[in-house]
């Protein structure tokens, strides 16, 4: 009998008996930034075990990380070469083989994301005239401005199909009027046409998409919440088949008096990672895609986690 079981484990492990000597498929890690003191660095974390690993070890800023589509490279912003403003870099998943993509002393690059096919990178650029949305090839060439200049722009996200980029921005207002809130817009990467996508009347930020391409998730400051104070931001899901831009029919995924922000779907689409300071410090949390089963992933009172990408 033992000989027979051994034979089965050797010959049929992959198909019939995956527990018999087969190598389990690695779990998809979450990459994120964490600030400790004055330094921000890039980390990864296993969403099941909670085991984290520090990937960079800078003394200033290595942050805004995002996976490449094949999950072999991490795109991030950094001042690691002594520059006064962030440039864009890529590195292997273990932090090795770092490659610099931009070198712009008069501007800073932030919150970059690969396109679905890995051929292009979208990012925001901060310069003396304001913020704008840019696009370049994956090797850093052929850079061009798509939208802006705005008083603020952040977190571009590739829409399903790769034709539109969604982003949050403050639109310019006439001199002397109150500062407007951030809302979510899209820009057609071919025509440059900009459209309003979400304007709830409050603050609307951090657009991301469900893996099946049916939903836009975002954070909104409703019930009088102020984005600057970090209070009263919750996560919502917007049906992409709807033309409504007010958020009136969008589904609330969280409902907490603190900040729930930057929701990002797991590779299989069943869960979401997000940032919350509901326990007094910015930590990573997980929930199921419908907002249920919310649970804390990190517990680091001396660090502030942010910008997770799964």
């Amino acid at each position: 009998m033992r000989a027979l079981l051994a034979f089965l484990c050797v010959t049929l492990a992959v198909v019939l008996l995956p527990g018999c000597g087969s190598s389990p498929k690695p779990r998809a890690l979450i990459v994120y930034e964490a600030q400790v003191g004055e330094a921000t660095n890039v980390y990864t974390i296993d969403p099941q075990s909670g085991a984290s690993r520090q990937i960079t070890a800078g003394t200033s800023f290595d942050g805004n990380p995002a996976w490449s589509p094949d999950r072999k490279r991490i795109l991030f912003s950094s001042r690691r070469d002594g520059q006064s403003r962030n440039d864009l870099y890529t590195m292997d998943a273990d932090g090795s083989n770092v490659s610099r993509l931009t070198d712009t002393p008069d501007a800073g690059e932030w919150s970059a994301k690969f396109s679905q096919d890995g051929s292009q990178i979208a990012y925001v650029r901060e310069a003396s005239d304001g913020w704008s949305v840019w696009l370049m090839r994956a090797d850093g060439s052929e850079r061009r401005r798509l939208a802006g200049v705005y008083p603020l722009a952040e977190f571009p996200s590739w829409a399903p199909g790769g034709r539109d980029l969604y982003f949050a921005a403050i639109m310019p207002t006439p001199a002397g009027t109150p500062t407007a809130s951030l809302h979510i817009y899209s820009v057609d990467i071919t025509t440059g046409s900009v459209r309003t996508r979400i304007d709830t009347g409050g603050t609307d930020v951090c657009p991301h998409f469900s893996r099946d391409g049916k939903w836009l998730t975002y954070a909104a400051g409703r019930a009088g919440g102020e984005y600057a104070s970090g209070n009263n931001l919750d996560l919502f899901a917007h049906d992409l088949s709807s033309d409504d831009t007010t958020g009136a029919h969008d589904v609330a995924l969280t409902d907490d008096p603190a900040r729930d922000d930057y929701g990002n779907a797991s590779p299989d689409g069943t869960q979401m990672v997000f940032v919350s300071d509901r326990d007094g410090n910015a930590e990573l949390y997980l929930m199921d895609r419908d907002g249920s089963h919310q649970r804390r992933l990190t517990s680091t009172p001396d660090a502030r986690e942010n910008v997770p990408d799964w």
Side-chain angles (χ1 to χ4, degrees), residues 238-266:
H238 169 77
D239 185 345
L240 286 172
S241 66
S242 169
D243 293 328
D244 178 56
T245 63
T246 68
H249 305 291
D250 294 348
V251 178
L253 299 176
T254 67
D255 183 12
D256 193 277
R259 177 178 69 103
D260 294 333
D261 200 359
Y262 210 85
N264 212 323
S266 61

PDB file of all heavy atoms in Angstrom, residues 238-266:
ATOM      1  N   HIS A 238     -18.885  52.046  -8.365  1.00  0.00           N
ATOM      2  CA  HIS A 238     -19.717  52.675  -9.400  1.00  0.00           C
ATOM      3  C   HIS A 238     -19.837  51.726 -10.580  1.00  0.00           C
ATOM      4  O   HIS A 238     -18.832  51.248 -11.119  1.00  0.00           O
ATOM      5  CB  HIS A 238     -19.067  53.991  -9.838  1.00  0.00           C
ATOM      6  CG  HIS A 238     -19.683  54.600 -11.058  1.00  0.00           C
ATOM      7  ND1 HIS A 238     -20.891  55.278 -11.021  1.00  0.00           N
ATOM      8  CD2 HIS A 238     -19.265  54.633 -12.356  1.00  0.00           C
ATOM      9  CE1 HIS A 238     -21.175  55.707 -12.241  1.00  0.00           C
ATOM     10  NE2 HIS A 238     -20.209  55.333 -13.068  1.00  0.00           N
ATOM     11  N   ASP A 239     -21.058  51.457 -11.002  1.00  0.00           N
ATOM     12  CA  ASP A 239     -21.326  50.600 -12.158  1.00  0.00           C
ATOM     13  C   ASP A 239     -20.885  51.333 -13.426  1.00  0.00           C
ATOM     14  O   ASP A 239     -21.416  52.400 -13.762  1.00  0.00           O
ATOM     15  CB  ASP A 239     -22.823  50.276 -12.211  1.00  0.00           C
ATOM     16  CG  ASP A 239     -23.175  49.288 -13.307  1.00  0.00           C
ATOM     17  OD1 ASP A 239     -22.351  49.051 -14.208  1.00  0.00           O
ATOM     18  OD2 ASP A 239     -24.302  48.757 -13.262  1.00  0.00           O
ATOM     19  N   LEU A 240     -19.920  50.775 -14.157  1.00  0.00           N
ATOM     20  CA  LEU A 240     -19.388  51.453 -15.339  1.00  0.00           C
ATOM     21  C   LEU A 240     -20.372  51.497 -16.501  1.00  0.00           C
ATOM     22  O   LEU A 240     -20.160  52.254 -17.455  1.00  0.00           O
ATOM     23  CB  LEU A 240     -18.091  50.773 -15.787  1.00  0.00           C
ATOM     24  CG  LEU A 240     -16.876  51.063 -14.906  1.00  0.00           C
ATOM     25  CD1 LEU A 240     -15.700  50.195 -15.318  1.00  0.00           C
ATOM     26  CD2 LEU A 240     -16.499  52.537 -14.966  1.00  0.00           C
ATOM     27  N   SER A 241     -21.450  50.742 -16.428  1.00  0.00           N
ATOM     28  CA  SER A 241     -22.474  50.828 -17.471  1.00  0.00           C
ATOM     29  C   SER A 241     -23.406  52.017 -17.258  1.00  0.00           C
ATOM     30  O   SER A 241     -24.216  52.342 -18.124  1.00  0.00           O
ATOM     31  CB  SER A 241     -23.296  49.537 -17.518  1.00  0.00           C
ATOM     32  OG  SER A 241     -24.067  49.374 -16.326  1.00  0.00           O
ATOM     33  N   SER A 242     -23.286  52.693 -16.109  1.00  0.00           N
ATOM     34  CA  SER A 242     -24.143  53.836 -15.791  1.00  0.00           C
ATOM     35  C   SER A 242     -23.484  55.136 -16.259  1.00  0.00           C
ATOM     36  O   SER A 242     -22.270  55.314 -16.155  1.00  0.00           O
ATOM     37  CB  SER A 242     -24.388  53.907 -14.280  1.00  0.00           C
ATOM     38  OG  SER A 242     -25.004  55.127 -13.918  1.00  0.00           O
ATOM     39  N   ASP A 243     -24.301  56.060 -16.746  1.00  0.00           N
ATOM     40  CA  ASP A 243     -23.823  57.385 -17.148  1.00  0.00           C
ATOM     41  C   ASP A 243     -23.909  58.409 -16.021  1.00  0.00           C
ATOM     42  O   ASP A 243     -23.510  59.559 -16.195  1.00  0.00           O
ATOM     43  CB  ASP A 243     -24.631  57.899 -18.353  1.00  0.00           C
ATOM     44  CG  ASP A 243     -24.384  57.090 -19.611  1.00  0.00           C
ATOM     45  OD1 ASP A 243     -23.254  56.588 -19.765  1.00  0.00           O
ATOM     46  OD2 ASP A 243     -25.314  56.948 -20.431  1.00  0.00           O
ATOM     47  N   ASP A 244     -24.452  58.008 -14.881  1.00  0.00           N
ATOM     48  CA  ASP A 244     -24.581  58.941 -13.757  1.00  0.00           C
ATOM     49  C   ASP A 244     -23.207  59.319 -13.220  1.00  0.00           C
ATOM     50  O   ASP A 244     -22.348  58.454 -13.021  1.00  0.00           O
ATOM     51  CB  ASP A 244     -25.412  58.298 -12.657  1.00  0.00           C
ATOM     52  CG  ASP A 244     -25.533  59.207 -11.442  1.00  0.00           C
ATOM     53  OD1 ASP A 244     -25.987  60.346 -11.609  1.00  0.00           O
ATOM     54  OD2 ASP A 244     -25.133  58.770 -10.350  1.00  0.00           O
ATOM     55  N   THR A 245     -22.976  60.588 -12.998  1.00  0.00           N
ATOM     56  CA  THR A 245     -21.701  61.059 -12.459  1.00  0.00           C
ATOM     57  C   THR A 245     -21.803  61.578 -11.036  1.00  0.00           C
ATOM     58  O   THR A 245     -20.802  62.001 -10.462  1.00  0.00           O
ATOM     59  CB  THR A 245     -21.135  62.193 -13.342  1.00  0.00           C
ATOM     60  OG1 THR A 245     -22.047  63.306 -13.314  1.00  0.00           O
ATOM     61  CG2 THR A 245     -20.922  61.720 -14.767  1.00  0.00           C
ATOM     62  N   THR A 246     -22.994  61.545 -10.452  1.00  0.00           N
ATOM     63  CA  THR A 246     -23.196  62.140  -9.132  1.00  0.00           C
ATOM     64  C   THR A 246     -22.903  61.196  -7.980  1.00  0.00           C
ATOM     65  O   THR A 246     -22.830  61.632  -6.833  1.00  0.00           O
ATOM     66  CB  THR A 246     -24.643  62.629  -8.989  1.00  0.00           C
ATOM     67  OG1 THR A 246     -25.533  61.489  -8.949  1.00  0.00           O
ATOM     68  CG2 THR A 246     -25.030  63.539 -10.138  1.00  0.00           C
ATOM     69  N   GLY A 247     -22.796  59.906  -8.265  1.00  0.00           N
ATOM     70  CA  GLY A 247     -22.590  58.926  -7.210  1.00  0.00           C
ATOM     71  C   GLY A 247     -23.844  58.567  -6.453  1.00  0.00           C
ATOM     72  O   GLY A 247     -23.788  57.801  -5.473  1.00  0.00           O
ATOM     73  N   ALA A 248     -24.989  59.066  -6.910  1.00  0.00           N
ATOM     74  CA  ALA A 248     -26.232  58.874  -6.163  1.00  0.00           C
ATOM     75  C   ALA A 248     -26.608  57.404  -6.029  1.00  0.00           C
ATOM     76  O   ALA A 248     -27.229  57.007  -5.037  1.00  0.00           O
ATOM     77  CB  ALA A 248     -27.363  59.643  -6.837  1.00  0.00           C
ATOM     78  N   HIS A 249     -26.273  56.596  -7.012  1.00  0.00           N
ATOM     79  CA  HIS A 249     -26.654  55.185  -6.993  1.00  0.00           C
ATOM     80  C   HIS A 249     -25.477  54.251  -6.742  1.00  0.00           C
ATOM     81  O   HIS A 249     -25.630  53.030  -6.873  1.00  0.00           O
ATOM     82  CB  HIS A 249     -27.321  54.826  -8.328  1.00  0.00           C
ATOM     83  CG  HIS A 249     -28.481  55.706  -8.680  1.00  0.00           C
ATOM     84  ND1 HIS A 249     -29.666  55.685  -7.982  1.00  0.00           N
ATOM     85  CD2 HIS A 249     -28.618  56.660  -9.638  1.00  0.00           C
ATOM     86  CE1 HIS A 249     -30.503  56.572  -8.505  1.00  0.00           C
ATOM     87  NE2 HIS A 249     -29.883  57.185  -9.505  1.00  0.00           N
ATOM     88  N   ASP A 250     -24.344  54.810  -6.398  1.00  0.00           N
ATOM     89  CA  ASP A 250     -23.164  53.984  -6.163  1.00  0.00           C
ATOM     90  C   ASP A 250     -23.272  53.233  -4.835  1.00  0.00           C
ATOM     91  O   ASP A 250     -23.938  53.675  -3.902  1.00  0.00           O
ATOM     92  CB  ASP A 250     -21.902  54.835  -6.204  1.00  0.00           C
ATOM     93  CG  ASP A 250     -21.649  55.410  -7.590  1.00  0.00           C
ATOM     94  OD1 ASP A 250     -22.305  54.964  -8.544  1.00  0.00           O
ATOM     95  OD2 ASP A 250     -20.792  56.310  -7.714  1.00  0.00           O
ATOM     96  N   VAL A 251     -22.600  52.101  -4.771  1.00  0.00           N
ATOM     97  CA  VAL A 251     -22.690  51.202  -3.628  1.00  0.00           C
ATOM     98  C   VAL A 251     -21.591  51.534  -2.614  1.00  0.00           C
ATOM     99  O   VAL A 251     -20.404  51.575  -2.962  1.00  0.00           O
ATOM    100  CB  VAL A 251     -22.559  49.739  -4.077  1.00  0.00           C
ATOM    101  CG1 VAL A 251     -22.599  48.802  -2.865  1.00  0.00           C
ATOM    102  CG2 VAL A 251     -23.651  49.388  -5.075  1.00  0.00           C
ATOM    103  N   ALA A 252     -21.991  51.787  -1.377  1.00  0.00           N
ATOM    104  CA  ALA A 252     -21.023  52.042  -0.307  1.00  0.00           C
ATOM    105  C   ALA A 252     -20.390  50.722   0.138  1.00  0.00           C
ATOM    106  O   ALA A 252     -21.091  49.789   0.528  1.00  0.00           O
ATOM    107  CB  ALA A 252     -21.695  52.720   0.868  1.00  0.00           C
ATOM    108  N   LEU A 253     -19.065  50.641   0.073  1.00  0.00           N
ATOM    109  CA  LEU A 253     -18.351  49.446   0.502  1.00  0.00           C
ATOM    110  C   LEU A 253     -17.882  49.548   1.951  1.00  0.00           C
ATOM    111  O   LEU A 253     -17.693  48.533   2.616  1.00  0.00           O
ATOM    112  CB  LEU A 253     -17.152  49.204  -0.411  1.00  0.00           C
ATOM    113  CG  LEU A 253     -17.469  48.978  -1.892  1.00  0.00           C
ATOM    114  CD1 LEU A 253     -16.173  48.843  -2.698  1.00  0.00           C
ATOM    115  CD2 LEU A 253     -18.337  47.738  -2.072  1.00  0.00           C
ATOM    116  N   THR A 254     -17.649  50.759   2.425  1.00  0.00           N
ATOM    117  CA  THR A 254     -17.285  50.977   3.821  1.00  0.00           C
ATOM    118  C   THR A 254     -18.153  52.088   4.391  1.00  0.00           C
ATOM    119  O   THR A 254     -18.704  52.906   3.655  1.00  0.00           O
ATOM    120  CB  THR A 254     -15.799  51.363   3.982  1.00  0.00           C
ATOM    121  OG1 THR A 254     -15.570  52.649   3.404  1.00  0.00           O
ATOM    122  CG2 THR A 254     -14.887  50.329   3.338  1.00  0.00           C
ATOM    123  N   ASP A 255     -18.262  52.106   5.697  1.00  0.00           N
ATOM    124  CA  ASP A 255     -19.043  53.133   6.393  1.00  0.00           C
ATOM    125  C   ASP A 255     -18.421  53.324   7.767  1.00  0.00           C
ATOM    126  O   ASP A 255     -18.834  52.727   8.752  1.00  0.00           O
ATOM    127  CB  ASP A 255     -20.506  52.705   6.507  1.00  0.00           C
ATOM    128  CG  ASP A 255     -21.377  53.777   7.168  1.00  0.00           C
ATOM    129  OD1 ASP A 255     -20.882  54.908   7.322  1.00  0.00           O
ATOM    130  OD2 ASP A 255     -22.524  53.480   7.523  1.00  0.00           O
ATOM    131  N   ASP A 256     -17.382  54.158   7.805  1.00  0.00           N
ATOM    132  CA  ASP A 256     -16.649  54.374   9.038  1.00  0.00           C
ATOM    133  C   ASP A 256     -16.356  55.865   9.164  1.00  0.00           C
ATOM    134  O   ASP A 256     -16.113  56.536   8.160  1.00  0.00           O
ATOM    135  CB  ASP A 256     -15.328  53.583   9.009  1.00  0.00           C
ATOM    136  CG  ASP A 256     -14.665  53.519  10.378  1.00  0.00           C
ATOM    137  OD1 ASP A 256     -13.953  54.482  10.742  1.00  0.00           O
ATOM    138  OD2 ASP A 256     -14.870  52.514  11.081  1.00  0.00           O
ATOM    139  N   PRO A 257     -16.402  56.428  10.376  1.00  0.00           N
ATOM    140  CA  PRO A 257     -16.152  57.864  10.528  1.00  0.00           C
ATOM    141  C   PRO A 257     -14.708  58.274  10.251  1.00  0.00           C
ATOM    142  O   PRO A 257     -14.416  59.463  10.133  1.00  0.00           O
ATOM    143  CB  PRO A 257     -16.531  58.132  11.984  1.00  0.00           C
ATOM    144  CG  PRO A 257     -16.413  56.805  12.660  1.00  0.00           C
ATOM    145  CD  PRO A 257     -16.818  55.806  11.645  1.00  0.00           C
ATOM    146  N   ALA A 258     -13.798  57.318  10.121  1.00  0.00           N
ATOM    147  CA  ALA A 258     -12.403  57.632   9.815  1.00  0.00           C
ATOM    148  C   ALA A 258     -12.177  57.575   8.303  1.00  0.00           C
ATOM    149  O   ALA A 258     -13.122  57.553   7.522  1.00  0.00           O
ATOM    150  CB  ALA A 258     -11.482  56.654  10.534  1.00  0.00           C
ATOM    151  N   ARG A 259     -10.921  57.551   7.893  1.00  0.00           N
ATOM    152  CA  ARG A 259     -10.566  57.531   6.476  1.00  0.00           C
ATOM    153  C   ARG A 259     -10.430  56.107   5.974  1.00  0.00           C
ATOM    154  O   ARG A 259      -9.605  55.338   6.456  1.00  0.00           O
ATOM    155  CB  ARG A 259      -9.239  58.273   6.259  1.00  0.00           C
ATOM    156  CG  ARG A 259      -8.735  58.251   4.815  1.00  0.00           C
ATOM    157  CD  ARG A 259      -7.451  59.036   4.680  1.00  0.00           C
ATOM    158  NE  ARG A 259      -6.326  58.410   5.342  1.00  0.00           N
ATOM    159  CZ  ARG A 259      -5.354  57.735   4.711  1.00  0.00           C
ATOM    160  NH1 ARG A 259      -5.392  57.602   3.396  1.00  0.00           N
ATOM    161  NH2 ARG A 259      -4.365  57.210   5.391  1.00  0.00           N
ATOM    162  N   ASP A 260     -11.221  55.734   4.973  1.00  0.00           N
ATOM    163  CA  ASP A 260     -11.069  54.495   4.222  1.00  0.00           C
ATOM    164  C   ASP A 260     -10.752  54.898   2.792  1.00  0.00           C
ATOM    165  O   ASP A 260     -11.550  55.572   2.132  1.00  0.00           O
ATOM    166  CB  ASP A 260     -12.348  53.655   4.265  1.00  0.00           C
ATOM    167  CG  ASP A 260     -12.666  53.147   5.656  1.00  0.00           C
ATOM    168  OD1 ASP A 260     -11.732  52.981   6.458  1.00  0.00           O
ATOM    169  OD2 ASP A 260     -13.857  52.917   5.941  1.00  0.00           O
ATOM    170  N   ASP A 261      -9.606  54.469   2.293  1.00  0.00           N
ATOM    171  CA  ASP A 261      -9.063  55.075   1.081  1.00  0.00           C
ATOM    172  C   ASP A 261      -8.315  54.045   0.249  1.00  0.00           C
ATOM    173  O   ASP A 261      -7.899  52.995   0.747  1.00  0.00           O
ATOM    174  CB  ASP A 261      -8.092  56.191   1.513  1.00  0.00           C
ATOM    175  CG  ASP A 261      -7.815  57.209   0.430  1.00  0.00           C
ATOM    176  OD1 ASP A 261      -8.349  57.071  -0.672  1.00  0.00           O
ATOM    177  OD2 ASP A 261      -7.056  58.151   0.714  1.00  0.00           O
ATOM    178  N   TYR A 262      -8.136  54.349  -1.023  1.00  0.00           N
ATOM    179  CA  TYR A 262      -7.250  53.633  -1.935  1.00  0.00           C
ATOM    180  C   TYR A 262      -7.558  52.129  -2.003  1.00  0.00           C
ATOM    181  O   TYR A 262      -6.716  51.279  -1.751  1.00  0.00           O
ATOM    182  CB  TYR A 262      -5.775  53.853  -1.557  1.00  0.00           C
ATOM    183  CG  TYR A 262      -4.855  53.799  -2.750  1.00  0.00           C
ATOM    184  CD1 TYR A 262      -4.644  54.931  -3.530  1.00  0.00           C
ATOM    185  CD2 TYR A 262      -4.235  52.622  -3.121  1.00  0.00           C
ATOM    186  CE1 TYR A 262      -3.824  54.880  -4.644  1.00  0.00           C
ATOM    187  CE2 TYR A 262      -3.419  52.549  -4.231  1.00  0.00           C
ATOM    188  CZ  TYR A 262      -3.202  53.684  -4.990  1.00  0.00           C
ATOM    189  OH  TYR A 262      -2.400  53.625  -6.104  1.00  0.00           O
ATOM    190  N   GLY A 263      -8.797  51.800  -2.354  1.00  0.00           N
ATOM    191  CA  GLY A 263      -9.172  50.409  -2.521  1.00  0.00           C
ATOM    192  C   GLY A 263      -8.623  49.829  -3.805  1.00  0.00           C
ATOM    193  O   GLY A 263      -8.686  50.457  -4.859  1.00  0.00           O
ATOM    194  N   ASN A 264      -8.082  48.621  -3.735  1.00  0.00           N
ATOM    195  CA  ASN A 264      -7.429  48.005  -4.881  1.00  0.00           C
ATOM    196  C   ASN A 264      -7.726  46.507  -4.882  1.00  0.00           C
ATOM    197  O   ASN A 264      -7.480  45.816  -3.896  1.00  0.00           O
ATOM    198  CB  ASN A 264      -5.915  48.257  -4.810  1.00  0.00           C
ATOM    199  CG  ASN A 264      -5.284  48.379  -6.171  1.00  0.00           C
ATOM    200  OD1 ASN A 264      -5.673  47.674  -7.093  1.00  0.00           O
ATOM    201  ND2 ASN A 264      -4.301  49.259  -6.299  1.00  0.00           N
ATOM    202  N   ALA A 265      -8.237  45.990  -5.997  1.00  0.00           N
ATOM    203  CA  ALA A 265      -8.727  44.611  -6.066  1.00  0.00           C
ATOM    204  C   ALA A 265      -7.604  43.588  -6.136  1.00  0.00           C
ATOM    205  O   ALA A 265      -6.532  43.842  -6.695  1.00  0.00           O
ATOM    206  CB  ALA A 265      -9.638  44.449  -7.277  1.00  0.00           C
ATOM    207  N   SER A 266      -7.876  42.410  -5.582  1.00  0.00           N
ATOM    208  CA  SER A 266      -6.945  41.287  -5.680  1.00  0.00           C
ATOM    209  C   SER A 266      -6.915  40.769  -7.110  1.00  0.00           C
ATOM    210  O   SER A 266      -7.840  41.004  -7.897  1.00  0.00           O
ATOM    211  CB  SER A 266      -7.369  40.173  -4.728  1.00  0.00           C
ATOM    212  OG  SER A 266      -8.663  39.688  -5.069  1.00  0.00           O
TER     213      SER A 266
END
